[in-house]
């Protein structure tokens, strides 16, 4: 597993159209249950096969939303390194990710900019695809994420607070 | 457009269920999520990196919703304890036994740190008219949650879109 560079990605090196390194995960029951419990999500559709299939009418237990957020956060910060600071993430859950699926996260920089406070950011469109054991591909989740990046070696987005940190914009 | 019952309309925009977490933020919660996602970001594993960048250890931002989730059980609790109570209230109000979340927005403000105690309140933003999807027939709703630390500082805002439904063919 690659260890992110502790110096981090600089804004000047990022352009619209840049493609992030893909992240592939073979999803198991442990992946689903570990993620649900780590996020304190005790709902049975994330650990109880009978509940998921008979009550929810889905094929199996499935990844919960906060765990998907955590996977996408990892995908983004593997790219940026620790100086990258996520401002906002918007998810749309289109289909479920089940044990046995191969989950692939892919991302493209769709825009870059600097806000009124001088904070530089890149917006990334992330697609989480799940391939079933039968080979069927499905888009499970899409995410639009805006990530603050340092403008140079002396800039640190994490040092921003109050009026200097406006993640809603 | 379908009109909503008055009691539901009255809830829109009103903060409900203000709660202060019964447990403080601990570093172990971040480790659990890092391990579940095999996340090697040194900001959360290396104190020297955390000291340099964030002035000390912080919680993984995507764990924001963790602080609204009650223990599965605690003394004196009646039945299963659930997060996002407004979501379950709407399921019951509209007699929709099943539900899924379809959209989720996370906005990260001040970092959450070990030792913080997080408070939150739920605000119903909207409820749709009746809709039918491949899952069944029901309604969509949007619920916002605002999180603050013990000093009142905003640490995050989360917005959920839920779909409560009855499966096709169910009574």
């Amino acid at each position: 597993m690659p260890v992110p560079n502790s110096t981090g990605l600089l804004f000047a090196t990022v352009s619209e159209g840049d493609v992030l390194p893909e992240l592939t995960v073979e999803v198991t029951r442990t992946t689903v249950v570990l993620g649900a419990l780590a996020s304190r999500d005790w709902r049975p559709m994330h650990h109880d096969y009978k509940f998921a299939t008979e009550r929810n009418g889905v094929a199996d237990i499935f990844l919960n939303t906060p765990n998907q957020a955590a996977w996408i956060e990892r995908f983004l910060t593997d790219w940026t390194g620790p100086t990258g600071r996520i401002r906002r993430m918007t998810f749309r859950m289109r289909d479920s990710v089940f044990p046995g699926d191969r989950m692939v996260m892919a991302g493209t920089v769709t825009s870059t900019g600097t806000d009124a406070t001088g904070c530089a950011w890149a917006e990334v469109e992330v697609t989480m695809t799940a391939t079933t054991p039968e080979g069927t591909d499905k888009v499970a989740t899409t995410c639009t994420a805006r990530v603050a990046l340092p403008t140079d070696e002396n800039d640190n987005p994490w040092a921003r607070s109050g009026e200097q940190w406006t993640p809603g914009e | 457009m379908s009109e909503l019952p008055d009691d539901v309309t009255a809830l829109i925009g009103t903060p409900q269920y203000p709660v202060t977490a019964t447990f403080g933020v601990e570093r172990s919660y971040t480790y659990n999520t890092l391990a579940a996602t095999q996340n090697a970001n040194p900001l959360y594993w290396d104190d020297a990196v955390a000291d340099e960048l964030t002035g000390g250890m912080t919680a993984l931002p995507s764990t924001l919703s963790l602080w609204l989730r009650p223990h599965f059980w605690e003394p004196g609790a009646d039945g299963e304890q659930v997060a996002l109570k407004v979501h379950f209230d709407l399921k019951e109000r509209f007699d929709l036994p099943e539900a899924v979340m379809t959209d989720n927005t996370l906005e990260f403000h001040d970092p959450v740190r070990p030792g913080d105690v997080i408070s939150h309140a739920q605000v119903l933003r909207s409820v749709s008219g009746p809709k039918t999807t491949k899952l069944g027939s029901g309604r969509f709703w949007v619920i916002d949650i605002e999180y603050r630390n013990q000093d009142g500082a905003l640490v995050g805002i989360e917005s959920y879109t839920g779909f409560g439904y009855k499966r096709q063919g169910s009574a």
Side-chain angles (χ1 to χ4, degrees), chain A residues 1 38-40 42-43 54-55 66 71 73-74 85 87-93 156 158 165 167, chain B residues 23 36-38 41 53 60-62 66 69-72 80 98 102-106 108-109 167:
Chain A
M1 180 172 55
S39 51
R40 294 175 56 86
W42 326 119
R43 295 294 297 157
E54 295 177 11
R55 280 290 306 276
W71 275 110
E73 178 175 11
R74 178 205 150 172
R85 182 179 180 186
R87 296 163 62 109
R88 188 173 68 240
M89 305 167 84
T90 298
F91 305 90
R92 171 151 290 184
M93 282 69 80
N156 173 16
W158 288 103
W165 180 247
Chain B
F23 57 99
T37 55
Q38 301 167 35
N41 190 341
L53 293 181
L60 197 66
S62 62
L66 190 153
R69 300 180 186 281
H71 300 309
F72 181 74
E80 179 187 353
E98 316 302 339
T102 62
D103 294 73
N104 179 211
T105 295
L106 296 166
F108 305 113
H109 289 256
R167 294 172 65 184

Side-chain angles (χ1 to χ4, degrees), chain B residues 6-84:
Chain B
D6 289 344
D7 61 315
V8 176
T9 302
L11 295 175
I12 293 175
T14 304
Q16 297 185 75
Y17 303 111
V19 170
T20 297
T22 57
F23 57 99
V25 175
E26 295 174 14
R27 196 166 169 171
S28 58
Y29 289 112
T30 287
Y31 284 136
N32 288 342
T33 297
L34 293 169
T37 55
Q38 301 167 35
N39 185 341
N41 190 341
L43 189 58
Y44 308 105
W45 292 101
D46 186 330
D47 284 348
V49 175
D51 288 346
E52 179 188 347
L53 293 181
T54 53
M57 197 54 68
T58 58
L60 197 66
S62 62
T63 60
L64 184 66
S65 69
L66 190 153
W67 317 116
L68 78 79
R69 300 180 186 281
H71 300 309
F72 181 74
W73 176 90
E74 57 188 35
D78 183 18
E80 179 187 353
Q81 302 301 292
V82 294
L84 213 56

Side-chain angles (χ1 to χ4, degrees), chain A residues 117-137:
Chain A
T117 71
C119 181
W121 51 263
E123 189 153 290
V124 181
E125 288 293 331
V126 180
T127 303
M128 178 185 280
T129 305
T131 303
T132 68
E134 294 76 31
T136 303
D137 290 335

